[in-house]
Amino acid sequence: MMPLSRRAFLSGCAALPVSLQFERLAKAELSIGNGVLTTVSDGHLTLPGSFVFEPMPWDELAPLLKEAGISEATLKPDCNVSLYRDEDKTVLFDVGSGPDFQPSAGKLLEGLELAGIAPEDVTHVVFTHAHPDHIWGLLDEFDDPLFYEATYMISRAEWDYWWNPETVNTIGEARAAMAVGAKRRFEAIEDSVEFFDGDQEVLPGIQAVSTPGHTPGHMSFEVRSGSEAALIVGDAIGNHHVAFMKPEWPSGSDQDAEVAASTRIALLDRIIADDLKLAGFHLPSGGIGRVERAAGGYRFLPEAI
């Protein structure tokens, strides 16, 4: 039996005990032409295994988890915020959890300080999607935007979904707090946000890639300079185990599991076909690595830190 339900996790994150160990703010780094892609740790989450595994076929899942050394009961995925810098811009992809989601997360400012970045240095904040661990770090203690010099950018489909007053009523009781939290943060940047659509160049060298399913308007981003490129995938590939071994399986973390599975397969195929590196928000060892085919599925190979 899995000791904590998905519903209990979603509604009770604030009640989790404070970690006694300071989170290791590991990062990975990748040169892309004249720019540098760095991942900065926002800490980690603590999730019940059922949050991801609940809709999967248990008789097939159990041996895969054993082989990968993954607990069926509790997952502690890293949270890697991607930071891209070139001579013209300093771009954050998502802003982490902030102080109000889980005590083991919300470490982004500490990680940025280690990377030599102050909040006012950030020129652009580009959102993959609006789940709490990606957007709740938007505001400071006065409920003002933390990255106050930045331009904020998000897909129109993602904004419209969370801005819609009906979303809180239709997303399900367990996720209602996510809708309330997203709307509150959107209100703080309503007058300064810029919108884009899939397959649009949002900034020079940064192309949006529509990757729906985890949320309706989830976006990934191809960062390219000359012949060098990497794909920032957000939560479109949400873990380093089952998402690679069995990408066609539904995940409980996705809002539309069927669409998300199709998206995941297409992304993995694209990464291999185009020989791309990838940066994943919840992937281990800093989250930057490459993909190879393995045993009927795929395998994530992290870059050395």
Side-chain angles (χ1 to χ4, degrees):
M1 292 291 292
M2 298 179 181
L4 183 63
S5 70
R6 295 173 62 246
R7 177 170 178 169
F9 159 71
L10 289 166
S11 61
C13 288
L16 290 172
V18 176
S19 172
L20 298 179
Q21 182 177 4
F22 184 76
E23 182 68 30
R24 188 171 80 94
L25 297 168
K27 66 178 183 179
E29 197 164 271
L30 178 68
S31 294
I32 303 177
N34 295 323
V36 177
L37 177 64
T38 304
T39 52
V40 180
S41 176
D42 191 49
H44 73 268
L45 302 182
T46 300
L47 310 174
S50 57
F51 182 71
V52 173
F53 303 141
E54 186 174 60
M56 298 178 183
W58 178 249
D59 57 337
E60 297 179 62
L61 173 65
L64 292 180
L65 295 182
K66 184 176 181 180
E67 175 187 346
I70 301 299
S71 167
E72 68 185 66
T74 304
L75 299 173
K76 294 188 176 182
D78 293 341
C79 297
N80 308 298
V81 175
S82 290
L83 170 71
Y84 178 70
R85 290 170 284 178
D86 61 20
E87 57 188 13
D88 300 317
K89 55 190 176 292
T90 297
V91 185
L92 271 183
F93 294 88
D94 300 331
V95 292
S97 298
D100 299 325
F101 187 54
Q102 288 198 6
S104 60
K107 315 294 186 184
L108 178 60
L109 285 181
E110 299 161 38
L112 287 174
E113 184 177 2
L114 290 177
I117 301 294
E120 62 268 24
D121 297 331
V122 176
T123 61
H124 300 82
V125 172
V126 183
F127 293 109
T128 62
H129 66 296
H131 277 166
D133 50 330
H134 295 257
I135 198 171
W136 280 20
L138 177 66
L139 304 180
D140 64 17
E141 63 270 29
F142 303 105
D143 281 350
D144 294 321
L146 178 61
F147 302 99
Y148 51 88
E149 295 288 347
T151 298
Y152 295 92
M153 309 181 78
I154 192 168
S155 80
R156 170 63 74 176
E158 187 74 358
W159 177 277
D160 287 349
Y161 175 75
W162 296 102
W163 191 262
N164 186 338
E166 285 304 307
T167 294
V168 71
N169 301 319
T170 58
I171 197 173
E173 183 180 354
R175 295 181 188 261
M178 293 184 175
V180 172
K183 180 72 177 298
R184 174 171 164 254
R185 286 155 180 86
F186 282 176
E187 289 171 347
I189 60 172
E190 179 182 4
D191 295 330
S192 57
V193 68
E194 296 183 4
F195 301 107
F196 57 85
D197 298 313
D199 303 318
Q200 178 181 337
E201 186 177 57
V202 299
L203 291 165
I206 300 176
Q207 183 92 12
V209 180
S210 181
T211 50
H214 185 69
T215 63
H218 187 287
M219 288 284 173
S220 299
F221 301 92
E222 183 179 293
V223 180
R224 178 174 292 276
S225 179
S227 62
E228 298 178 334
L231 198 61
I232 297 169
V233 300
D235 282 4
I237 303 174
N239 60 68
H240 68 288
H241 36 83
V242 182
F244 286 85
M245 294 186 289
K246 294 290 184 181
E248 71 276 15
W249 282 2
S251 172
S253 65
D254 296 325
Q255 289 184 216
D256 188 325
E258 183 177 353
V259 170
S262 296
T263 291
R264 199 158 43 243
I265 293 167
L267 265 183
L268 289 165
D269 286 343
R270 174 176 178 166
I271 289 166
I272 289 177
D274 294 348
D275 193 24
L276 297 170
K277 298 291 179 66
L278 82 157
F281 194 86
H282 292 305
L283 302 183
S285 301
I288 293 178
R290 59 187 180 89
V291 179
E292 67 178 16
R293 297 190 187 276
Y298 305 82
R299 179 185 296 123
F300 173 65
L301 300 173
E303 295 281 294
I305 295 177

